[in-house]
Amino acid sequence: MSIASIIRQARSEGRTLLTEAESKAILAEAGIPTTRTVPAATAEEAVRAAEELGFPVVLKVASRDITHKSDVGGVRLDLRTPDQVREAFHAIMAAVRRASPDAAVQGVTVQEMARPGTEVIIGMTRDPQFGPVLMFGLGGILVELLQDVSFRVVPLTPRDADEMIREIKGFPLLEGYRGSEPADLAALRRVLLNLSAFVEAHPEVKELDLNPMIAYRDGALAVDARMVVDEEPRG
Ligand code: ADP
Ligand code: MG
């Protein structure tokens, strides 16, 4: 589906918050690598999706009312067999019902399990004065605590993107601190520049988050995504 048709569909259902699968489909169109993500309403649909994607897979709760999926027991990683997928589906439904009884749940998404790497977060908000602003930081609890992030106003130059990546305090981690896998800085820069072009071309996108994107020696992959659009089409 095209970017426009995904947004049209969401609006027609009265939604401005796009689902993870919708957000990732749009990001893929915008040149941002993401894990392939398929919605499934039942355990058997989830198994079929897993067989198509190839094991191991990840299951996540799909609900318009839930933004922090792991907080409610809604994320199960590294599922290696059809039985594990079935079990995870039911476990997620039970956990979410307990933690968030009022949430309407559409089912799950099934997605490729990405291998470990360095988690980064990339976001966009629209500032009333400066317009769209991109944010870059490292993922993880420590970084949440330290608020170690950098910002640049869109449109980004290649130099802006490089500076954003290098000016965070945690930058040594991206260079492979103490034997950790170094991150593909050129790939991260490409993601920032593609996002900059995307948000410039799409004023109807009000907010977006890749949280996290996993950076590798070769490339980077968004494993979670969230996007908010305007209510009305712009004339
Ligand atoms: P939340 O809504 O809680 O932010 P996420 O989708 O970000 O849920 O998943 C929580 C964590 O699980 C991520 O921060 C990441 O470490 C891991 N994760 C999520 N999706 C994948 C995936 N497809 N492959 C590998 N790890 C993943
Ligand atoms: Mg997340």
Side-chain angles (χ1 to χ4, degrees):
M1 269 213 286
S2 72
I3 295 176
S5 63
I6 293 170
I7 293 177
R8 207 176 316 116
Q9 173 71 25
R11 280 177 176 147
S12 76
E13 294 170 13
R15 292 184 289 124
T16 56
L17 176 65
L18 304 189
T19 66
E20 182 183 345
E22 288 168 340
S23 304
K24 285 178 171 174
I26 290 177
L27 288 166
E29 290 280 315
I32 314 296
T34 68
T35 44
R36 285 197 295 153
T37 298
V38 180
T42 65
E44 289 317 306
E45 268 180 50
V47 168
R48 273 197 299 279
E51 281 166 344
E52 266 162 45
L53 290 168
F55 293 94
V57 295
V58 173
L59 254 60
K60 298 183 193 176
V61 63
S63 167
R64 283 151 207 169
D65 304 322
I66 295 170
T67 38
H68 298 291
K69 299 174 290 292
S70 9
D71 291 356
V72 295
V75 178
R76 296 283 302 265
L77 303 173
D78 202 19
L79 307 169
R80 294 167 174 274
T81 65
D83 274 342
Q84 286 182 4
V85 169
R86 267 182 217 108
E87 191 274 328
F89 182 94
H90 297 299
I92 286 174
M93 292 302 135
V96 170
R97 220 173 296 127
R98 227 174 300 121
S100 199
D102 297 331
V105 175
Q106 283 79 49
V108 298
T109 62
V110 185
Q111 54 192 272
E112 299 170 300
M113 171 77 194
R115 64 182 182 84
T118 307
E119 296 196 359
V120 303
I121 56 179
I122 297 175
M124 184 276 291
T125 51
R126 290 189 186 265
D127 181 271
Q129 224 168 336
F130 298 111
V133 177
L134 288 188
M135 185 210 71
F136 176 82
L138 289 174
I141 296 169
L142 198 61
V143 178
E144 253 168 58
L145 277 174
L146 300 177
Q147 306 276 308
D148 180 20
V149 292
S150 58
F151 296 92
R152 283 294 182 285
V153 174
V154 168
L156 261 62
T157 63
R159 187 192 173 131
D160 287 331
D162 284 336
E163 286 174 358
M164 277 183 90
I165 294 167
R166 284 164 194 278
E167 76 189 26
I168 59 169
K169 294 190 200 74
F171 178 67
L173 282 171
L174 295 175
E175 287 185 299
Y177 185 71
R178 294 206 175 161
S180 69
E181 181 177 346
D184 185 340
L185 300 180
L188 291 177
R189 175 222 266 177
R190 206 151 51 234
V191 167
L192 289 168
L193 292 174
N194 286 350
L195 274 181
S196 172
F198 168 71
V199 303
E200 256 203 305
H202 292 277
E204 69 276 23
V205 176
K206 295 209 316 198
E207 275 175 47
L208 74 83
D209 282 299
L210 316 184
N211 186 3
M213 170 160 241
I214 306 183
Y216 302 108
R217 189 184 302 275
D218 280 300
L221 204 50
V223 302
D224 187 22
R226 185 179 152 277
M227 202 175 286
V228 178
V229 297
D230 270 350
E231 271 171 36
E232 291 299 325
R234 293 177 171 233

